C-alpha cells in the first residue's frame, strides 16, 4: 500500500496566547506496513523537557505539602484545644512530619503530574483513610507525647476535623497553583477522531491545558523518527504527550511511551480496552505476567440495596429542604402561562419498564404538538432531540432550565422507585427504540436524575451517550454516585451562575 500523508492542524494563535507557534504543522507520513522496533536514542531529559516543567512540578508539590501541614496542624491544635488537652499546639507541631511522610508514601504529592485534571474530590476516599490512620496513630502515641489519654470522641473529632481541613487546604492550594503554575501544553498523537474527542473533553473539564499540536501516527517511525518527535517537543515546549492509539497493537505505543519518558515529559495514554471495561479493573500479576481483572457488569443485590438506601435517605432530606422552593416554582408557573404545573412524559426505565417522569412545565402547553415543525432545528445529533434557544420555552421555564430546577419533581419518581438519583439517562420511547443489541444493557440500572452524561456539559450523540451509560454501570460504586452528585451541584451552579 502507498503511505498516506496526514496531519492535524494546530489550534489558532489566539487559543495559545503567548505560546503561539507556527501555524504550519509538519506533514507526517503514516506507514501502512508493519515495521521493526525503532532504536531509541539516549537522550538527556534536561535537553528536551521545558525548563518550566520541573520547576512547576516542584512548586506544585511544595504547595500541596505546605497546605497539608498547615491545615492538619491547625485542625489538631483547634480540636485538642477545644477538648481541653494540655500542650495541644505542641502535639500538633510534633506530629506534622508524620503527616508529610504518610501522604508521601500514599503518593499524594505525585498524583497531579499523572493527571490532566487536578481535583481534590477524587482524593477524598484516600484522604479519609489517611487522616483516620493519623488520628489512630495519635491516639496510640499521645500518652508518650503529652501524657494522659485521648478519648474515643477526641479521636473521632481529630479525624473529622483533620479530614475537612486537609481537603479544604488542598482545594485552596490547587486554586493558587492554577494562578502561578504555567498552563500545561499538550501534544496529541493518534487519529483525528480521537484527537478531536480529547480536545472537546479537555475543554469541557476546564483543565488548565492547551493543545499545541496534534500529530497523526501509530508509532515513532510514522511520526518521522525519534529525532523529529524530540525536536517538536523542544520547539513547542510540550509538557505532556497524549497518546490515542489508532490500532490495538502495543508495540508502537510502547515505543512512544519510552520516547516520551526519555525526553522527560509527562505521558497520558487513552487505552482502547478501557472504552469497553472502564477504569474499575484490578491489576493482577502471575509470576511476572500482568493481567487485568474485569469486574462483572451491573450491580449485585447488596449493591442495589446500598444504592437504594442512598436514594431514599438523600431524597427524603432533599424534599424537606426544597419544599418551599417547589411551592414557589409552582406558583410562578401558574402565573406565567396557561397549562398544568407539571409536565409528565413516558420514559423507559429499568428492564424496559415504562413510567411517567415528572418535571416542572418549562414550555408552552402545546409543545409536543409543535415538535415536528421544529425538528429541522435539532442540535443534539442523530437519535436525540434538543434545540438551542427553543422558542417553546416560557419565561419562567427558561430560568428553571438554566438552573435545572425543572428537574426537582423527579425526586418523587426516585421515592417511588422508578428512578435513581444517579443513573443512565431516561430516554423517551422513540429514542429508546434506537438502542439495540448489547447496548440495551444500559437498562440494567434505573435511570437517574443526573449521571455522567450530564457532567459533560455538552450535547452528545446517542451512541456516545449509550457508551457513557455502559461504563457507568460497569464501574459503579457508592463513592461514584456521591462524587457525581457533588459534581452535579458544581455543574449546575456554574451553568446558572449561582
Amino acid at each position: 500500500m502507498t503511505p498516506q500523508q496526514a496531519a492535524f492542524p494546530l489550534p489558532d494563535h489566539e487559543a495559545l496566547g503567548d505560546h503561539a507557534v507556527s501555524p504550519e504543522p509538519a506533514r507526517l507520513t503514516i506507514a501502512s506496513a508493519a515495521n521493526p522496533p525503532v532504536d531509541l536514542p539516549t537522550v538527556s531529559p534536561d535537553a528536551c523537557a521545558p525548563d518550566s516543567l520541573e520547576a512547576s512540578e516542584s512548586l506544585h508539590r511544595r504547595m500541596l505539602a505546605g497546605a497539608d501541614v498547615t491545615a492538619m496542624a491547625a485542625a489538631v491544635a483547634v480540636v485538642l484545644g477545644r477538648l481541653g488537652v494540655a500542650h495541644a499546639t505542641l502535639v500538633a507541631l510534633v506530629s506534622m512530619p508524620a503527616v508529610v511522610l504518610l501522604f508521601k508514601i500514599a503518593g499524594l504529592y505525585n498524583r497531579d503530574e499523572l493527571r490532566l485534571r487536578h481535583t481534590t474530590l477524587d482524593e477524598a476516599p484516600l484522604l479519609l483513610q489517611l487522616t483516620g490512620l493519623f488520628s489512630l496513630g495519635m491516639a496510640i502515641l499521645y500518652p508518650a507525647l503529652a501524657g494522659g489519654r485521648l478519648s474515643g470522641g477526641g479521636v473521632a473529632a481529630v479525624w473529622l476535623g483533620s479530614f475537612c481541613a486537609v481537603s479544604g487546604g488542598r482545594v485552596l492550594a490547587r486554586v493558587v497553583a492554577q494562578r502561578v503554575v504555567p498552563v500545561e501544553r499538550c501534544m496529541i498523537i493518534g487519529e483525528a477522531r480521537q484527537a478531536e474527542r480529547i480536545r472537546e473533553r479537555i475543554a469541557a473539564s476546564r483543565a488548565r491545558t492547551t493543545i499545541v499540536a496534534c500529530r497523526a501516527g501509530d508509532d515513532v517511525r510514522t511520526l518521522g523518527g525519534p529525532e523529529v518527535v524530540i525536536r517538536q517537543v523542544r520547539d513547542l515546549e510540550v509538557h505532556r504527550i497524549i497518546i490515542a492509539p489508532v490500532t490495538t497493537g502495543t508495540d508502537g505505543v510502547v515505543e512512544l511511551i519510552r520516547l516520551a519518558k526519555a525526553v522527560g515529559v509527562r505521558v497520558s495514554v487513552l487505552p482502547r480496552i478501557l472504552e469497553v471495561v472502564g477504569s474499575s479493573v484490578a491489576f493482577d500479576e502471575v509470576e511476572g505476567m500482568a493481567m487485568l481483572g474485569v469486574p462483572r457488569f451491573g450491580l449485585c443485590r447488596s449493591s442495589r440495596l446500598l444504592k437504594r438506601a442512598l436514594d431514599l435517605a438523600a431524597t427524603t432530606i432533599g424534599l424537606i429542604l426544597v419544599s418551599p422552593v417547589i411551592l414557589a416554582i409552582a406558583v410562578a408557573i401558574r402565573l406565567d402561562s396557561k397549562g398544568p404545573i407539571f409536565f409528565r412524559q413516558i420514559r423507559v426505565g429499568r428492564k424496559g419498564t415504562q413510567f411517567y417522569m415528572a418535571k416542572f412545565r418549562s414550555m408552552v402547553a402545546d409543545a409536543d404538538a409543535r415538535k415536528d415543525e421544529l425538528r429541522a432545528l435539532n442540535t443534539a445529533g442523530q437519535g436525540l432531540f434538543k434545540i438551542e434557544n427553543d422558542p417553546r420555552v416560557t419565561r419562567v421555564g427558561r430560568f428553571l432550565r438554566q438552573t435545572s430546577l425543572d428537574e426537582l419533581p423527579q425526586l418523587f419518581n426516585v421515592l417511588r422507585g422508578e428512578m435513581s438519583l444517579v443513573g443512565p439517562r431516561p430516554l423517551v420511547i422513540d429514542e429508546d427504540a434506537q438502542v439495540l443489541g448489547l447496548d440495551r444493557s444500559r437498562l440494567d440500572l434505573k435511570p437517574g436524575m443526573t449521571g455522567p452524561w450530564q457532567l459533560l456539559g455538552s450535547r452528545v450523540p446517542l451512541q456516545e451517550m449509550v457508551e457513557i451509560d455502559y461504563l457507568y454501570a460497569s464501574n459503579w460504586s457508592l463513592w461514584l454516585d456521591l462524587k457525581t452528585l457533588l459534581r452535579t451541584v458544581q455543574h449546575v451552579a456554574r451553568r446558572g451562575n449561582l
Side-chain angles (χ1 to χ4, degrees):
M1 295 177 61
T2 303
Q4 300 174 342
Q5 298 290 328
F8 303 155
L10 291 172
D12 295 336
H13 279 248
E14 294 180 358
L16 300 180
D18 296 336
H19 300 288
V21 296
S22 172
E24 292 294 332
R27 304 294 295 181
L28 303 176
T29 300
I30 299 182
S32 59
N35 293 303
V38 175
D39 291 331
L40 299 180
T42 301
V43 183
S44 170
D46 295 334
C48 299
D51 295 336
S52 61
L53 181 57
E54 179 60 32
S56 63
E57 289 179 348
S58 178
L59 177 61
H60 198 89
R61 288 192 293 266
R62 289 198 299 268
M63 292 180 68
L64 286 177
D68 291 338
V69 169
T70 303
M72 185 73 86
V76 172
V78 170
V79 171
L80 295 184
R82 293 293 299 270
L83 294 175
V85 174
H87 312 295
T89 302
L90 178 62
V91 172
L93 294 176
V94 170
S95 60
M96 286 309 101
V99 173
V100 177
L101 178 61
L102 189 63
F103 283 26
K104 176 64 177 178
I105 293 174
L108 283 176
Y109 299 127
N110 302 100
R111 290 163 62 97
D112 283 3
E113 65 188 63
L114 303 178
R115 297 167 176 253
L116 286 164
R117 188 170 60 89
H118 308 150
T119 170
T120 306
L121 188 58
D122 289 334
E123 298 172 342
L126 182 57
L127 288 176
L128 188 63
Q129 296 174 26
L130 293 177
T131 52
L133 183 61
F134 170 82
S135 302
L136 180 60
M138 174 171 287
I140 295 173
L141 299 177
Y142 182 76
L145 292 174
R149 178 177 174 273
L150 196 60
S151 65
V155 174
V158 170
W159 185 2
L160 179 60
S162 60
F163 170 72
C164 294
V166 169
S167 299
R170 285 190 153 240
V171 170
L172 180 60
R174 288 190 168 105
V175 170
V176 175
Q178 288 182 356
R179 299 181 180 275
V180 299
V181 174
V183 174
E184 187 175 46
R185 298 168 60 81
C186 297
M187 179 170 69
I188 301 176
I189 297 177
E191 60 180 343
R193 183 180 64 87
Q194 288 285 53
E196 186 60 27
R197 284 185 63 194
I198 293 172
R199 192 195 301 270
E200 291 175 355
R201 297 298 173 84
I202 289 177
S205 70
R206 296 180 176 238
R208 294 191 74 251
T209 299
T210 182
I211 308 300
V212 298
C214 298
R215 297 293 181 248
D218 287 303
D219 51 37
V220 175
R221 180 174 287 99
T222 62
L223 293 169
E227 292 77 12
V228 172
V229 178
I230 292 172
R231 185 173 65 251
Q232 291 172 347
V233 169
R234 181 181 61 249
D235 293 346
L236 299 176
E237 298 183 2
V238 172
H239 297 152
R240 182 185 299 272
I241 293 177
I242 303 175
I243 303 172
V246 179
T247 65
T248 56
T250 59
D251 290 344
V253 176
V254 170
E255 290 174 352
L256 287 171
I257 294 175
R258 290 178 58 200
L259 180 60
K261 285 187 166 185
V263 300
V265 298
R266 303 164 180 168
V267 187
S268 293
V269 182
L270 188 67
R272 304 299 295 268
I273 187 64
L274 295 188
E275 295 179 8
V276 179
V277 301
S279 58
S280 293
V281 295
F283 289 89
D284 192 12
E285 183 180 344
V286 181
E287 299 297 331
M289 179 176 62
M291 292 187 291
L292 289 178
V294 180
R296 54 169 286 179
F297 180 83
L299 278 62
C300 62
R301 183 177 180 182
S302 59
S303 295
R304 292 188 187 279
L305 291 175
L306 190 61
K307 184 175 175 65
R308 181 58 179 159
L310 172 64
D311 287 343
L312 290 175
T315 302
T316 302
I317 295 173
L319 281 173
I320 295 174
L321 294 177
V322 302
S323 54
V325 177
I326 292 176
L327 179 60
I329 292 174
V331 173
I333 293 174
R334 178 65 73 184
L335 295 176
D336 180 58
S337 62
K338 295 180 180 180
I341 294 174
F342 297 103
F343 171 73
R344 300 172 72 242
Q345 187 179 46
I346 296 178
R347 298 294 177 107
V348 180
R350 183 170 183 259
K351 301 299 183 182
T353 303
Q354 297 180 4
F355 69 98
Y356 281 97
M357 188 184 77
K359 285 186 176 184
F360 281 122
R361 182 174 58 83
S362 59
M363 291 185 174
V364 294
D366 61 342
D368 268 350
R370 298 174 56 186
K371 185 175 180 180
D372 289 337
E373 67 183 68
L374 298 172
R375 197 170 294 276
L377 302 177
N378 183 24
T379 61
Q382 185 177 4
L384 300 176
F385 186 83
K386 291 289 183 181
I387 300 176
E388 296 290 346
N389 300 318
D390 197 319
R392 300 171 298 171
V393 178
T394 63
R395 289 176 300 175
V396 171
R398 187 167 291 108
F399 170 77
L400 295 179
R401 288 189 167 200
Q402 183 181 15
T403 57
S404 294
L405 292 175
D406 61 322
E407 312 281 352
L408 285 180
Q410 293 172 31
L411 291 172
F412 296 104
N413 289 114
V414 176
L415 280 182
R416 289 197 296 264
E418 298 163 338
M419 294 181 64
S420 177
L421 289 175
V422 183
R425 179 173 180 173
L427 297 179
V428 296
I429 295 177
D430 58 343
E431 293 172 347
D432 178 75
Q434 301 178 56
V435 181
L436 305 173
L438 292 176
D439 289 340
R440 296 195 64 80
S441 59
R442 67 186 295 276
L443 296 177
D444 185 70
L445 296 181
K446 295 175 184 177
M449 289 183 62
T450 184
W453 50 271
Q454 181 173 330
L455 298 180
L456 290 177
S458 60
R459 307 300 187 192
V460 295
L462 179 65
Q463 184 55 44
E464 187 172 347
M465 186 206 69
V466 169
E467 294 173 359
I468 293 170
D469 288 342
Y470 178 88
L471 289 178
Y472 167 76
S474 298
N475 297 277
W476 182 87
S477 68
L478 186 63
W479 170 243
L480 177 59
D481 275 7
L482 291 172
K483 185 166 62 173
T484 302
L485 290 172
L486 292 174
R487 285 181 171 168
T488 298
V489 174
Q490 182 185 38
H491 173 75
V492 171
R494 183 185 297 151
R495 187 179 64 184
N497 297 320
L498 297 179

